[in-house]
Amino acid sequence: MLCNLCPRKCNVERSESKGFCSGGSKIKVSRYSIHMWEEPCISGTKGSGTVFFAGCNLKCRYCQNIAISMNDLKGRELSVTELHDVFLSL
């Protein structure tokens, strides 16, 4: 199946090669945690969950997350079920 998840529509077969974002066919998560200080007017006093996925299609020059979003894509591969559990736990 060709990848067209983002506006770049690179049409790569992610099970065979990597797309513009450097992502393959697996879900790769660099970090997940409770984030206490993101938009407190929305998240309230208990914070919100944050999930950082490895790979990015923007390639911003001054990216503050370059260590996890580009290069060798640090992180851990998760199954869809594991990612589901992460979302629910947060």
Side-chain angles (χ1 to χ4, degrees), residues 3 10-26 28 54-55 59 70-74 77:
C3 185
C10 61
N11 286 314
V12 69
E13 176 58 61
R14 287 175 64 155
S15 63
E16 297 173 10
S17 61
K18 295 184 178 190
F20 183 87
C21 65
S22 299
S25 62
K26 306 274 182 165
K28 200 166 204 182
K59 307 295 185 198
M70 295 181 221
N71 305 330
D72 62 354
L73 298 181
K74 294 178 169 80
E77 289 182 351

Side-chain angles (χ1 to χ4, degrees), residues 20-35:
F20 183 87
C21 65
S22 299
S25 62
K26 306 274 182 165
I27 300 166
K28 200 166 204 182
V29 173
S30 298
R31 177 181 166 84
Y32 58 89
S33 64
I34 294 293
H35 192 309

Side-chain angles (χ1 to χ4, degrees), residues 5 24-29 32 51 53 76-89:
L5 293 174
S25 62
K26 306 274 182 165
I27 300 166
K28 200 166 204 182
V29 173
Y32 58 89
V51 178
F53 292 93
R76 182 175 149 234
E77 289 182 351
L78 299 179
S79 69
V80 171
T81 302
E82 289 171 317
L83 181 61
H84 170 266
D85 292 344
V86 165
F87 287 150
L88 289 181
S89 73

